[in-house]
Amino acid sequence: MLFYYAIAAALVIIDQWTKWLVVRYMEVGERITVLDPYLAILSHRNRGAAWGMLQGQMWLFYIVTVVVVAGILYYFHKHGKEGGAGFRVSLMMLLGGALGNFIDRLRMGEVVDFVDVLVPVIGYDFPIFNVADAALTIGVILLIVHMLLEELKEKRKKKES
């Protein structure tokens, strides 16, 4: 189980380190092009949730994060062994992502975002995000995949019996 907690810890460390670099070396609003026009580092601050929703509602984020972290830890210890490695990894990605943004909110009252992506073909300017956000998104996707695979297994078992 310690290996999986190391995943969450590594995500928090990488998240906080990249945010520290942005805060330390960039002005808010400064943009560094990486792959023009599709990828850039853009120093941005978010006082809300995903995509800037619920701006300034820090008390709500504190409560929700504590509840979410408690839920992740509960499911990890209660169902982690039977859920398999994919399930455990998804939960630890969610934990690392939640804690990474929670640390920002506690320390600064806002979240540092910096990855600016323009989706080619459709020209969609994706909302600016950070490592913690990416971990949360990937964790949710892995969890959904895990749940779908489990559902398929159950359906096959029922057909066989």
Side-chain angles (χ1 to χ4, degrees), residues 15-34:
D15 175 67
Q16 291 298 299
W17 178 66
T18 54
K19 290 173 179 175
W20 175 82
L21 288 171
V22 168
V23 169
R24 175 82 167 91
Y25 295 106
M26 295 178 72
E27 297 293 324
V28 174
E30 183 179 350
R31 186 174 197 272
I32 300 170
T33 301
V34 177

Side-chain angles (χ1 to χ4, degrees), residues 92-113:
M92 290 301 104
M93 291 189 81
L94 292 172
L95 181 64
L99 291 175
N101 284 338
F102 188 61
I103 290 167
D104 280 15
R105 289 189 176 103
L106 286 175
R107 281 184 43 237
M108 301 179 291
E110 59 192 5
V111 174
V112 177
D113 290 327

Side-chain angles (χ1 to χ4, degrees), residues 101-142:
N101 284 338
F102 188 61
I103 290 167
D104 280 15
R105 289 189 176 103
L106 286 175
R107 281 184 43 237
M108 301 179 291
E110 59 192 5
V111 174
V112 177
D113 290 327
F114 59 90
V115 181
D116 187 19
V117 175
L118 177 68
V119 180
V121 181
I122 61 172
Y124 177 65
D125 193 9
F126 197 82
I128 302 164
F129 63 97
N130 58 45
V131 173
D133 296 334
L136 286 164
T137 301
I138 294 166
V140 166
I141 291 168
L142 289 174

